[in-house]
Amino acid sequence: MGKAKTAKSKNKSNKPLEYQLTVVRVGFGGNSGNGKYFYTYSHDPIHLVGMKKGLKMHFSLSSDTPADFKICQGVGTGFAWDQIIDPQVSKDGRSVKFTNKNDKHCSFNIGIIVHDPINSEFIVCDPEVVNVPDPQPAAY
């Protein structure tokens, strides 16, 4: 897995946070698709600290991912108080953007569904994301 990346609010631009996803066929011993695939993110877990609502996260398939693999869908957690989802898959299927509209302290899941057309498989790739919109010192 890639190392953790903490995004902090000092970056005031509206640019999406960029992450890369690598998905490869391994036959066995992988972490998805009944062990037939291995995926990893450039940063895992992803820490969002002090980021404003409406933050965009952009995930792209890396050059190490086979060219025929395409992102077919993005999904997000669906608790009543969060609004993580709003996935927008690119026309070429090589990237997806999510908008994080959540303003709660939480760990949430998103999933990127990648299609392998050769094996007609769908690979679920889910990074761990920690959202801390208003960092406060812990009271002990």
Side-chain angles (χ1 to χ4, degrees), residues 68-72 113-123:
D68 58 340
F69 282 23
K70 303 291 183 213
I71 295 170
C72 59
I113 314 302
V114 177
H115 183 243
D116 172 3
I118 291 177
N119 295 318
S120 296
E121 296 273 353
F122 293 92
I123 306 109

Side-chain angles (χ1 to χ4, degrees), residues 20 30 42 50 55 98 137:
Q20 285 203 338
S42 55
L55 170 71
F98 288 87

